[in-house]
Amino acid sequence: MTALLGCVHYDLQEQEEAEAARQTSYLMAKEANDPELLAWTFEMAAWFALAEARYEDMVEAAGIGMLVKSDGSVGVQLHLQEAKAYARLADARETERALAEAAAILGRFPAPEHPDHHFVFDHSKWMHYAATIYTWLGDDRKAKEHATEVIDEHLRPDGSTRAPMRTAEARLSLATVQAREGDLEGAVVLAKSAYEFDTKPMSDLASRGQEISRFLRARFNDHPLALEFQDYLTAAISNRLETLAIG
């Protein structure tokens, strides 16, 4: 619960509280001789480093976590954090290796009974992360393929989604691809649609939205649509954080 609290704090962009909870979880894991919880604290450290663009620190934290426990859900997550770091470092070979190792571990255990559990991994979550990783790596074909699969897998007959957060991030991946292909209008429409869901976590959505906004400004300069998305994103993040704080 303390580790989960740290994740909630980070989603609320309360970095100091998140790190305090992570360190407390680390001490509890050491005291209880619990390798799985201990490994998760290093996974959290890798996640925090990602948001701060400390990609070498991500690789280091993930590597230490895998020395503690390299199988099960935490093993999959650690390899994926490693893949994210290498994608950010533009190392395609190491990114593919880490993705493959995560998939191999995932393939060795059955589908979870409670896939919504934060510390449990399933195939759909792997696809979700892979879409983001390939987007960062610049492999537009694979990014589009994985993001589309994530959206389709969670689509209900009425057009709504069973997984708002995963769908939102998949739309941001597709928006990035469209922007790189020169389709500014399509990119803005998709990027805006990522914020229409009542998703509670905001740190990742905010970070990815800001990244898209910077890319749009760099690619399309002061085009009205690029400026429009920048204003839209600022308002969306502010309103969501205010709602969460009140709640």
Side-chain angles (χ1 to χ4, degrees), residues 45 47-48 55 58-59 102 117 160 169 227 235:
W47 175 32
F48 297 172
Y55 306 127
M58 282 185 73
V59 174
H117 192 301
S160 62
E169 289 210 52
L227 297 174

Side-chain angles (χ1 to χ4, degrees), residues 52-82:
E52 298 167 10
R54 294 183 286 107
Y55 306 127
E56 290 84 0
D57 290 344
M58 282 185 73
V59 174
E60 181 180 5
I64 295 172
M66 284 184 272
L67 290 175
V68 175
K69 187 174 177 63
S70 60
D71 58 356
S73 289
V74 69
V76 178
Q77 186 77 1
L78 286 165
H79 279 295
L80 286 172
Q81 293 292 14
E82 186 183 33

Side-chain angles (χ1 to χ4, degrees), residues 5-23 44 47-49 51-52 54 202-204 206-207 210 241:
L5 178 62
C7 296
V8 173
H9 277 305
Y10 211 82
D11 279 331
L12 292 172
Q13 300 185 343
E14 298 169 348
Q15 287 88 348
E16 290 185 8
E17 293 87 343
E19 177 59 19
R22 189 194 72 81
Q23 291 184 16
M44 292 170 67
W47 175 32
F48 297 172
E52 298 167 10
R54 294 183 286 107
M202 274 305 297
S203 59
D204 290 344
S207 176
Q210 289 160 354
L241 290 175

